[in-house]
Amino acid sequence: MTELLCIGNSVVDVFVEIDNSLALKYGILEFSQHIDRETAELILNEPSVDFSAAVKSSGGGAANVAKIAAMLGMNAAFIGCTGHDTLAEIFENDLTGSGVRVILTKSDNKTGICFACNINGTSDGSEASNRRFGKFSSAETRFAASPGAALDLTQDDIREDMLNGVEAVVLDGYILDRRPLVQHVLRLASRRGIPVALDAASIFQVRSKAEEILTYSRNYPLFIFMNAGEALAFHNTIRKSKEQEINFSEKEKEAVILRDVCPMLKIITDGEIFPIIVVKLGGRGAIVVAGGNVYHEETFTIIPRSTVGAGDTFCAAFLAAWIRGKSLSECAALGNKVAREILEVPGTNIKSGKLKTFAKMLQK
C-alpha cells in the first residue's frame, strides 16, 4: 500500500556538456528557462553533442522525491503524464527500477525534457571524462526545460481511491499554475486528514504565488519546503518589502532568515500542527518552523559535483522520517545526511546501495 504519493511533472533530465557557442545558438542564456519543443528536438539532434554518453534519468521534483523515498524503503508512488515515446520509457523504467509504483496517463504530446547543460565544464579537468561520468560544476549549469506532456495532467486524472492508505502527498511546486489540479488534490487529501507537502520550486514561483501558498496553509494541512532564496522571497512578498534577496552569501542568508523570516513563520505556525515550514539551507543545514517553534539542524559543507536534485532528496528523506514517526529535528538531520550523498552524482542518479544505511535507520 502506498505511503507517500507524489504528483507532478514527468520530465526526463538530460545531463550534457555544451560549449558557449551552442548555448548561444539555442538561446540557453538563463540559469533556468523554458524552451519550445522544436528547440528541444534540435538540441537532441545536435550533431556536435554525443547524447549517447549523456546521463538520462527521470526528473521533476515530485518524481525525484518518489525515487529517493523508495530507495529509503518507503512505499512510494508517482502520478504524472508522459507521451508515447522513448523518453517516456526512460522515465518510467528509471522510477520502477528504483521501486516506485508509477501511474502514468498518456498524451499525444511528447514527454517532457529538461537539459542540465554544463557550459564548458571542467570539474575534473577533462571534458570527455565529465561527459562520461556526469561530473558537473553546479555554478556553470543552466537548465532548459520543455515540459511537453507533463502539462497535460489534470484533476480528472487524480481519483480519491488513489489516496487509500497514503500518509502524505507530495505536490510539485511547478504545478501551482494549474489551480484546479492543486485544489482538487488539496481537497481530497484534507478530507482524509492527509498532509500535503508543497515545494516552492523557484524564487519566481514564490514571488507570484506567495499569497496563494499562505492561503492554502491556512485551509489545508501542509508541509512547505523552501530553499533560502525562496524563503527570503516569501518573506519579502508577504511583507510587501522591496528588499533584494539574491545578493547574500549563504551565511548571510541564514542570518537574515533567522533574524527576519523565522519570526514571521512562527506567527504563521503558532498554535497549530500544520503548516510545518522547512527552509533548506544547503551546506548550512535546515530550519524547521512548526507550532510556533524553530528547530535549527546544522550540517557540514562539502564541495558538490552537482546540486541538482539535492533539495528534492532532502524532502524525500524528511518526509520518510516523519512518516516513520521521527521528531522534526531527526527528520531534518536525515534530510541533511541523505542530500549530502546526492551531491556526488548528477541529479538523483545514485545507486540504491548508497542509501541502505539510511533505510535501516528509518526501520528503528
Side-chain angles (χ1 to χ4, degrees), residues 17-124:
E17 293 276 343
I18 65 173
D19 59 29
N20 276 317
S21 63
L22 278 180
L24 289 170
K25 177 180 177 180
Y26 293 112
I28 302 174
L29 307 176
E30 306 293 332
F31 170 74
S32 179
Q33 66 188 86
H34 275 190
I35 55 176
D36 59 42
R37 195 65 197 199
E38 182 180 0
T39 300
E41 295 297 324
L42 288 172
I43 295 172
L44 280 173
N45 291 292
E46 171 58 47
S48 66
V49 179
D50 182 10
F51 277 101
S52 65
V55 176
K56 306 178 187 72
S57 67
S58 57
N64 287 341
V65 172
K67 180 178 178 180
I68 297 300
M71 288 184 177
L72 290 171
M74 306 299 294
N75 293 318
F78 173 80
I79 300 175
C81 183
T82 65
H84 299 270
D85 47 19
T86 302
L87 289 176
E89 294 177 11
I90 292 172
F91 181 88
E92 185 168 5
N93 290 341
D94 189 42
L95 284 185
T96 56
S98 301
V100 179
R101 184 166 69 94
V102 181
I103 307 166
L104 295 176
T105 58
K106 293 292 183 175
S107 166
D108 291 334
N109 289 316
K110 292 187 176 182
T111 300
I113 188 169
C114 179
F115 297 99
C117 303
N118 197 45
I119 313 298
N120 288 327
T122 56
S123 56
D124 70 350

Side-chain angles (χ1 to χ4, degrees), residues 224 226 253-255 257-259 262 265 277-281 284-290 293-298 314 318 332 336:
I224 302 171
M226 297 180 280
K253 286 180 182 177
E254 178 185 25
I257 288 168
L258 287 169
R259 186 192 70 213
C262 283
L265 300 183
I277 303 175
V278 185
V279 181
K280 300 168 288 184
L281 300 174
R284 304 195 67 81
I287 295 169
V288 183
V289 187
N293 298 307
V294 177
Y295 309 86
H296 190 185
E297 194 66 33
E298 297 181 352
F314 178 95
F318 185 101
N336 288 335

Side-chain angles (χ1 to χ4, degrees), residues 283-345:
R284 304 195 67 81
I287 295 169
V288 183
V289 187
N293 298 307
V294 177
Y295 309 86
H296 190 185
E297 194 66 33
E298 297 181 352
T299 188
F300 60 87
T301 302
I302 66 171
I303 298 174
R305 292 182 179 179
S306 170
T307 59
V308 180
D312 301 327
T313 297
F314 178 95
C315 293
F318 185 101
L319 292 171
W322 183 82
I323 289 171
R324 291 288 185 260
K326 307 297 184 183
S327 70
L328 292 176
S329 292
E330 288 173 317
C331 293
L334 186 68
N336 288 335
K337 291 173 183 176
V338 180
R340 210 161 40 234
E341 294 293 324
I342 221 74
L343 297 175
E344 298 292 332
V345 298

Side-chain angles (χ1 to χ4, degrees), residues 3 6 10-11 15 22 46 53 62 68 115 124 153 170 194 213-214 254 271 276 288 309 328 331 335 342 348:
E3 296 173 288
C6 303
S10 311
V11 300
F15 296 82
L22 278 180
E46 171 58 47
I68 297 300
F115 297 99
D124 70 350
L153 183 72
V170 174
I194 301 171
I213 293 171
L214 184 59
E254 178 185 25
I276 295 172
V288 183
L328 292 176
C331 293
I342 221 74
T348 54

